[in-house]
Structures are given as structure tokens and as C-alpha cells.
Amino acid sequence: MPRSLSRRSVLATTAAAATAAAVSPLATASPALAAAPPTLPNGTSKDKVLVVGMDGLRHDVIAAANAPHLKAMMANGTYGTSLLYADPMAATSSGPGWSTISTGVWPDKHGVKENSFAGKNYAKYPGFLARLAQVRPQLSTYAAVDWKPLDAQGTVTPGADATLVLDGDRDGYTAHDATIAAETESILRNQNPDVLFVYFGQTDIAGHNSGAASAAYRQAIDVQDGHLGRLLAAIKARPAYAGERWTVIVTTDHGHTDAGGHGGSAIEERRTFVLAQGPGIAAGARPADTRLVDVAATVFHQLGIVPDPSWGLDGKPIQERSTDPFETLYPALAGRADETGIPAGVLGWTRTAPSGWSVVNSAMGTGGVAEWRGWSFATDEFWSRSQRDQSRELNVRSRGVFAVADSDEWADKTSSGPFDSTLVTPAYAVAGKTAVTLGFTTHYRQEGAQSARVLASWNGGTPVEVKRYTADVIAQPQALTLAVPSGAANVSFRFHYTGSNNWYWVIDGVKITTA
């Protein structure tokens, strides 16, 4: 949560003063009085899910912490790391981050861009607990938070049968995190909940006060890891555990700079992760195509709920892999060549096209930055590191490896001639079909005389333009449906981009369907 220095100072001096709580709707006493946990309705499902949110937990610091329970989950489950958006889509702060986790959609849908929550659209994109109350009201659900806006703004708690809401900003997070852990442990051991969301906030405070490179930050991770351990032990101690199917998901809303703080576009601020173990979730997997919107989708999947397309989810279950042809290129990814702002150890680009694909650079200029000489294939971290704050961070609907034509970055080194490159798909069979649909995700910024065109070639004939972009299209799915001409046996598509130190065009998730 981005807080002013004065607020962080107040939080630091009151960290031990956990004295008050607002508990609703079933529990009313202050945790200072050791109130009993609320009584939840009896659960109805053998499939059960616990989501644990740890605010501001930078995943690349976990290895340096003790954190045995997080590390055991990494060994026993699937651990996907990814990067957030940045402004102007949304700040790397808690309001947008937890909204993304809870709703399963990106900020351009849920509407939360910073911690005022102005523009929130939870009516159309509710949190997963609210959605469960609509479609599976018989489930027993619980939420516990000590950053109050997650309740007051309707981000997480709506739909829960019982909630514990504490005020960490006022009282300090250390004791309230411990109260949340103790109450949730009791509920897990002694009651029969189906779905739980619990939030711990002290890692974010330690990051603000001491920085993510500090011993205090690692200690805060260790403490929250201990809370996680108590919850995992409580699940295993349940009398009915052998007949239940438990999924546990751990996630965070944003990262932190080494010096402390977030809200901006630095890689360290954008770091997030989804860590999950449970039925059907592979042990030890490290997928590169997981994103923060996948938490809600994974909750639904583990409960056997198929999301309605009208929900507009951007996420997918953590165990579901992208079938995009660009995902085959990981072995070819290389480190920087001409780029200077990308660490040497970041492997994230290649000009090697997937099998059956090709790049035509016959009209391409000479020189320029090697990584971007014509259509290339890159990862989010590599490409967005090439230049911050030019909306590369907004490419949120691409996953893993994507195709990019970037005349802006190419022109950062001496070159001659235009950027003129064409990405060509394989030929797809359409014989006997009446229509073919080209689906893909695009992230495009328009400037000047640059051009971006999609062309179709039937039976290897002269390509015909079927789509032209003349304005920005920021991280949006596309679907172009074409009538199949009489006698056409196959079709291939071309993505033709030209520019002269203009912007860029990203293509991902290419999928062909016929009717």
C-alpha cells in the first residue's frame, strides 16, 4: 500500500498497539478480549480453498528468508511469477493489486487505478467471494483482513458468510496479523469452512520502513511464513482431512524497491507471484505464463465451477498452460545484445520464429538495435526493461513469450531505411469451411505514419488486407472472422508493421478456428 512517509512513521511507532477491531457480521468482540471466532455455516463441499494474501511480498527475497512453509509449497505446488502493469493503467499499489487478485480481471476492467478506489466497477466485476455467493451460495465462506479498505471498498469481503476486519493502519499490523492467523487457525481446526481469504499486511510495512533488501523485511516474511504454517497444520489436523480436497494459494499485490516503496514502474515494484498446491496442481512446476489474474480463476476451477463468459475473466487456472506457438521458443531465448539497460542474466528475446512461422525482412532497414531488427519474440520482463514508462508495462494480456515489432527501440542505434517487417503464420486448412476466425491479443501504440496491417493469403495467393490499425489498442483480444472463398483449401495470415522511430506492435495468443 503506498502510504505517505508520515503514515508509515505512525504505523512503525504503533506496530505493537493492536487494540481494536471491527468484526462482521457474526463476530463482534475485540481481539484484545480474545473473542471467540465467529460461527460459520457448515460447509457443503469436499473441494476447499484457502487463499492467503501477503501484502508487498517481493518473491525474489523469499530465497534469502527462512520461510520453510513457502519453500515447501514451492516444492509441492506450482509457482508462477510475473510482472504487474504500471501507470497509466494503474499504479503498483494495493488498491489495484488486490482488486486484480479478487476479481480476476485487469484494472482496465475493474476500474481501480490507485488507493482512492475511484472508478471501481465491482458491480460488473465482483470479487471471487461475492461471485461464489451468487453461483454457489451453499458454500461456507470467510474473509479476514487488516487493511480496512479491502472491506470498506468492497474489494474482498462482500459475499463472505463471516468476516474479521481489523485496522492495521491505526493499530499496527504485527498483532493484527497474528490475530487473523489465530482466528483462522481455530476456524480451520474446529469448523467446516469451504473457501477462505486471509490477508497479512506486515511485509508491506517492513518494506516501506526498512526496504526490501533489509533484514527486517526478511524477518517479516519469516513471521508471515509462520502464520502460513499454522494454517497449513490446521488443515492437516482436520478430522475430515483425508476425505477433503484442499487447495492453498498464496499471492501478493505488488513488490517493493530495495530501498522501500512502490507505486511506480520499476521491475522490483512490479513483481508478483501466484503459488498454489492442491488437486491437479503439479509439484515443482515453474510456469512462465502465470499472471496475477489467475488467482480467482484457480479458485473457481478447484471448486468445479466453470466461469460464465459474461463474467469477462482475464485469468485462467494456474495448472492450465498456454498453447500459443510462441511458448515453444524458451530454449532459444538469449541475453541482451545491443540493449544496455537490461541485466545480462535476463534471457528474454530471440528472432527465431516458431516452427511453420516466418519473418520477412526483405524491406527492412539496416543497423539499429539488434534485438528489435524486424519482428522479434520476447518476454514481458525483457521487453519492458528496454524502456520504462512508454506503456510497454501495459501489455498485460500477453503471456510468456510474445511477438513484438518495435521501431522505437530499434531506432536507438544508428540505422538506415525504415522499419518494415512481416510476421507470417503457417497455412491453416479451411477446405469445406464457410468461415475462419483469427483470434489474437494485441498491444499497439500508434504514432505518425507508422502502419500495422493484418493480411490474409488464400491458397498462397496475393495477401489481402483484412484489418488496419490507426489508433492505440492497449492489451486487447481481437477476433477477425472471414468468409472462406469458394475453392480455398488453406489460409495464412501476415502481420505487417512499418515505422520510423515510432512505437510498437505486439501479437500473442494466436488461435485459428473454423466454422
Side-chain angles (χ1 to χ4, degrees):
M1 295 160 250
R3 307 179 176 90
S4 67
L5 180 60
S6 60
R7 285 191 73 194
R8 292 204 303 274
S9 299
V10 169
L11 290 172
T13 58
T14 61
T19 58
V23 184
S24 66
L26 301 179
T28 57
S30 164
L33 302 177
T39 301
L40 275 67
N42 190 44
T44 60
S45 177
K46 296 297 184 183
D47 296 303
K48 299 179 183 292
V49 182
L50 167 66
V51 178
V52 179
M54 298 186 177
D55 202 298
L57 177 53
R58 214 175 89 184
H59 62 75
D60 59 328
V61 182
I62 294 174
N66 188 26
H69 305 293
L70 284 167
K71 292 175 181 177
M73 278 191 65
M74 291 175 188
N76 297 326
T78 293
Y79 174 48
T81 63
S82 63
L83 297 175
L84 284 177
Y85 38 74
D87 283 328
M89 179 174 285
T92 50
S93 55
S94 287
W98 292 113
S99 297
T100 299
I101 290 165
S102 185
T103 64
V105 302
W106 293 111
D108 58 356
K109 288 183 179 178
H110 64 61
V112 181
K113 300 183 68 171
E114 31 73 35
N115 282 0
S116 75
F117 291 82
K120 65 183 180 184
N121 192 15
Y122 298 149
K124 184 172 183 180
Y125 301 106
F128 64 80
L129 290 177
R131 187 71 79 181
L132 290 175
Q134 295 172 359
V135 302
R136 198 72 72 78
Q138 66 271 29
L139 293 176
S140 176
T141 59
Y142 172 74
V145 301
D146 50 7
W147 189 45
K148 287 191 71 176
L150 296 180
D151 173 67
Q153 296 291 342
T155 309
V156 167
T157 56
D161 292 310
T163 64
L164 173 65
V165 182
L166 308 175
D167 194 342
D169 280 350
R170 183 188 64 194
D171 308 321
Y173 283 84
T174 302
H176 281 336
D177 283 356
T179 298
I180 287 173
E183 178 168 299
T184 306
E185 178 185 24
S186 175
I187 289 171
L188 287 168
R189 286 181 179 273
N190 302 314
Q191 299 189 49
N192 187 26
D194 293 319
V195 183
L196 309 91
F197 177 96
V198 299
Y199 165 97
F200 300 122
Q202 183 57 30
T203 34
D204 187 59
I205 303 305
H208 280 295
N209 289 343
S210 303
S214 69
Y217 186 72
R218 296 191 294 275
Q219 176 61 28
I221 294 175
D222 291 344
V223 171
Q224 287 185 183
D225 182 83
H227 296 332
L228 173 64
R230 292 177 65 179
L231 304 184
L232 293 173
I235 289 172
K236 292 182 179 179
R238 291 173 55 77
Y241 175 72
E244 297 172 340
R245 297 175 291 273
W246 275 93
T247 297
V248 179
I249 303 169
V250 183
T251 190
T252 194
D253 55 335
H254 55 71
H256 261 283
T257 64
D258 284 350
H262 55 86
S265 61
I267 290 290
E268 291 74 22
E269 298 168 273
R270 296 173 59 211
R271 293 203 185 282
T272 60
F273 70 93
V274 181
L275 170 61
Q277 67 179 24
I281 299 175
R286 298 291 186 270
D289 62 342
T290 297
R291 305 218 65 164
L292 198 60
V293 288
D294 295 344
V295 173
T298 302
V299 171
F300 296 135
H301 181 82
Q302 297 303 96
L303 294 170
I305 295 171
V306 178
D308 191 294
S310 67
W311 297 0
L313 291 187
D314 289 320
K316 63 180 180 62
I318 193 171
Q319 61 265 61
E320 182 181 302
R321 298 280 65 80
S322 298
T323 57
D324 184 304
F326 305 144
E327 300 305 286
T328 64
L329 298 179
Y330 282 100
L333 296 180
R336 69 187 188 200
D338 290 338
E339 286 284 0
T340 58
I342 302 173
V346 176
L347 305 181
W349 78 282
T350 181
R351 287 202 304 273
T352 301
S355 176
W357 291 65
S358 61
V359 174
V360 178
N361 283 338
S362 56
M364 184 74 192
T366 60
V369 175
E371 287 91 331
W372 317 115
R373 192 174 297 143
W375 279 96
S376 300
F377 307 90
T379 64
D380 187 18
E381 178 158 356
F382 191 91
W383 185 54
S384 63
R385 276 185 182 271
S386 67
Q387 181 63 56
R388 283 169 56 180
D389 299 321
Q390 293 182 340
S391 294
R392 289 175 180 83
E393 299 90 353
L394 277 54
N395 185 33
V396 292
R397 290 185 176 85
S398 289
R399 292 176 179 265
V401 179
F402 48 82
V404 56
D406 191 334
S407 69
D408 175 68
E409 277 300 295
W410 175 70
D412 281 356
K413 188 176 179 180
T414 301
S415 62
S416 64
F419 188 109
D420 189 325
S421 185
T422 303
L423 176 64
V424 185
T425 74
Y428 301 98
V430 295
K433 306 299 182 181
T434 59
V436 60
T437 298
L438 168 65
F440 59 99
T441 296
T442 199
H443 181 56
Y444 176 71
R445 289 196 68 191
Q446 173 69 36
E447 183 186 63
Q450 80 178 30
S451 68
R453 303 185 301 148
V454 183
L455 305 100
S457 172
W458 306 97
N459 294 340
T462 302
V464 177
E465 181 179 310
V466 295
K467 176 74 174 180
R468 179 185 291 259
Y469 292 94
T470 58
D472 290 0
V473 180
I474 303 301
Q476 293 299 317
Q478 307 286 284
L480 305 180
T481 299
L482 309 176
V484 176
S486 176
N490 61 70
V491 63
S492 64
F493 294 96
R494 297 179 175 230
F495 301 92
H496 179 218
Y497 173 85
T498 67
S500 180
N501 194 19
N502 298 124
W503 285 124
Y504 47 74
W505 191 13
V506 172
I507 298 295
D508 196 31
V510 176
K511 184 178 181 181
I512 306 296
T513 55
T514 56

